[in-house]
Amino acid sequence: MSIDAIKQVTETEAEAKERKTQAQAQAQAMLTQAQKDGQTRLARARKEAQDQARALLAQAEAEAEARSAETLKDYDADCQALKARAAEKLDEAAALIVRRVVNT
């Protein structure tokens, strides 16, 4: 083998080694960037999920408050009806008590 051929093989090996080193560095850079992008997307997705959870919770609380107000309104109406019926029978109850006291 001639000296020129040895030089050429040595140069080719050196070039191949350099390309391999560059490819590894490029692959590592791509991996690092992909990890950063993944972390950014994950953080964004978590924030969006938290925002959606807060919105759903606020909506559920508003609906619960509206239902609670409606229930209280219904119970108040029932109480007023009971009071009205009791007031109607108050005179009758007082007369019954007076009769029992007088008859004893």
Side-chain angles (χ1 to χ4, degrees):
M1 202 183 223
S2 70
I3 295 182
D4 288 336
I6 293 174
K7 282 183 182 180
Q8 187 175 7
V9 168
T10 305
E11 288 175 5
T12 303
E13 287 177 349
E15 287 175 8
K17 186 175 181 181
E18 179 62 26
R19 286 183 188 158
K20 182 179 178 181
T21 302
Q22 288 176 354
Q24 287 174 337
Q26 186 177 9
Q28 184 60 42
M30 290 171 66
L31 177 62
T32 301
Q33 186 61 44
Q35 289 173 337
K36 286 180 183 178
D37 291 346
Q39 291 296 326
T40 300
R41 288 179 182 171
L42 180 61
R44 187 179 315 128
R46 283 184 179 157
K47 184 182 180 314
E48 288 174 5
Q50 288 173 346
D51 291 345
Q52 288 178 352
R54 281 190 202 103
L56 289 172
L57 182 59
Q59 180 182 358
E61 287 175 347
E63 289 174 5
E65 189 173 328
R67 287 182 189 158
S68 176
E70 187 65 31
T71 301
L72 287 174
K73 181 180 169 187
D74 291 344
Y75 286 151
D76 186 50
D78 291 345
C79 287
Q80 294 302 324
L82 287 173
K83 285 180 183 180
R85 278 191 273 152
E88 292 171 1
K89 296 186 180 195
L90 186 60
D91 290 337
E92 184 182 328
L96 178 65
I97 292 170
V98 169
R99 280 193 309 257
R100 287 195 179 179
V101 170
V102 173
N103 288 337
T104 355

